[in-house]
Amino acid sequence: MRVLFTLLLLFSSIVFANGNSSMSKTQILNLISEYKQAPISETGYAAVKKIINFAENSKDVLVEVTPETTPWLTHDKVSDPIKGLLLGAYVVGNIEPQLMFNEKKPQHCSGATEVARVVKLIIRPNAAAEIRLIEQLNKASLNRYDCSKEKQNQALNSAE
């Protein structure tokens, strides 16, 4: 657990440093929308830096990062750039429903669903095996927490 927490701090401070923690919930939700349009872009990267900083410093959200919730984060066959990208996706997916519903409670299923979405957008030469591994690890985590698509859709539809 201590190693995972150290990794989280390492990724968030090195990869996502220099965000602004004084942003409002509405501003963060707008950044999440921007990020979701193009997570693997300069715009997505700029948005996720601020989102990660908000998540680290806000009393309004709670994100739990454990070997069970983010198994790809400690796996030695997943590259560090991909770990950083997926950690950003996990945090985005995790805090969005917390902000939408004003409920400070980790939302693993939403975070893992966003990871699954972003993994499908990764286009890198020679990354097919790494992507399959991430998909398998993330799917196992979704199953462990009983994250059915039906449950996800019900939660999101009730927010509209």
Side-chain angles (χ1 to χ4, degrees):
M1 184 68 94
R2 174 171 265 163
V3 170
L4 195 54
F5 183 70
T6 302
L7 276 174
L8 175 62
L9 289 176
L10 174 71
F11 279 118
S12 61
S13 62
I14 292 174
V15 178
F16 302 112
N18 300 325
N20 182 356
S21 63
S22 62
M23 299 184 82
S24 71
K25 290 181 188 180
T26 302
Q27 289 172 312
I28 294 300
L29 286 168
N30 288 337
L31 284 172
I32 288 171
S33 179
E34 268 183 45
Y35 166 84
K36 284 186 159 188
Q37 290 177 23
I40 305 174
S41 69
E42 288 184 33
T43 302
Y45 178 73
V48 83
K49 286 193 311 184
K50 294 174 185 172
I51 294 164
I52 292 279
N53 191 55
F54 174 84
E56 285 181 328
N57 296 300
S58 175
K59 294 178 182 167
D60 297 321
V61 296
L62 180 62
V63 178
E64 290 181 347
V65 177
T66 68
E68 291 78 26
T69 60
T70 55
W72 37 263
L73 193 58
T74 56
H75 204 286
D76 62 347
K77 292 191 178 179
V78 178
S79 65
D80 287 346
I82 298 294
K83 287 177 183 178
L85 176 70
L86 298 181
L87 180 60
Y90 183 76
V91 170
V92 165
N94 201 302
I95 71 168
E96 182 181 33
Q98 293 182 59
L99 295 174
M100 290 171 59
F101 299 116
N102 291 315
E103 183 178 7
K104 183 180 177 177
K105 179 181 172 189
Q107 298 292 325
H108 167 69
C109 294
S110 182
T113 300
E114 182 63 13
V115 167
R117 185 184 79 84
V118 170
V119 165
K120 291 178 181 172
L121 301 175
I122 298 171
I123 301 171
R124 280 186 35 201
N126 306 318
E130 184 178 9
I131 291 169
R132 277 193 305 277
L133 172 64
I134 294 164
E135 288 174 335
Q136 290 169 352
L137 293 168
N138 197 53
K139 184 176 181 180
S141 181
L142 282 163
N143 290 337
R144 182 180 297 114
Y145 286 87
D146 192 31
C147 301
S148 69
K149 284 187 179 184
E150 186 176 301
K151 282 174 64 176
Q152 291 291 306
N153 289 336
Q154 287 173 351
L156 290 176
N157 289 336
S158 67
E160 295 173 349

